[in-house]
Amino acid sequence: MSKAPRTPDSRLVDAVDAKPCAVCGRPALDAYRPFCSKRCADVDLNRWLGEHYRIPTDEPAAGDPEDNGGYS
Ligand SMILES: [Zn+2]
């Protein structure tokens, strides 16, 4: 058996060291910097565009309890 040497993933270190998400404060992902997710990027984008737009993925539809499946 041979143990393959695994080098530390520098991307993980970079992610931890990155600025927190400007929207929710969680560590930002490199793919969505400076945000942690596309959702937060969309939230910030909509803030820039104005409060006119609703973000369908941001809030569960009121009065629809079955709409939160898979969202924790
Ligand atoms: Zn976020």
Side-chain angles (χ1 to χ4, degrees):
M1 291 179 67
S2 60
K3 295 177 63 177
R6 294 189 60 130
T7 56
D9 192 333
S10 61
R11 290 174 301 175
L12 289 176
V13 175
D14 188 49
V16 172
D17 195 44
K19 288 183 178 180
C21 173
V23 175
C24 71
R26 278 151 47 169
L29 289 184
D30 192 50
Y32 301 111
R33 269 192 309 194
F35 308 104
C36 72
S37 64
K38 188 178 188 302
R39 189 177 76 85
C40 283
D42 287 343
V43 169
D44 190 73
L45 177 63
N46 279 279
R47 284 178 180 174
W48 277 98
L49 293 175
E51 299 291 333
H52 310 288
Y53 299 94
R54 293 282 297 183
I55 305 155
T57 57
D58 189 39
E59 302 173 15
D64 191 354
E66 294 186 45
D67 193 41
N68 66 347
Y71 187 87
S72 57

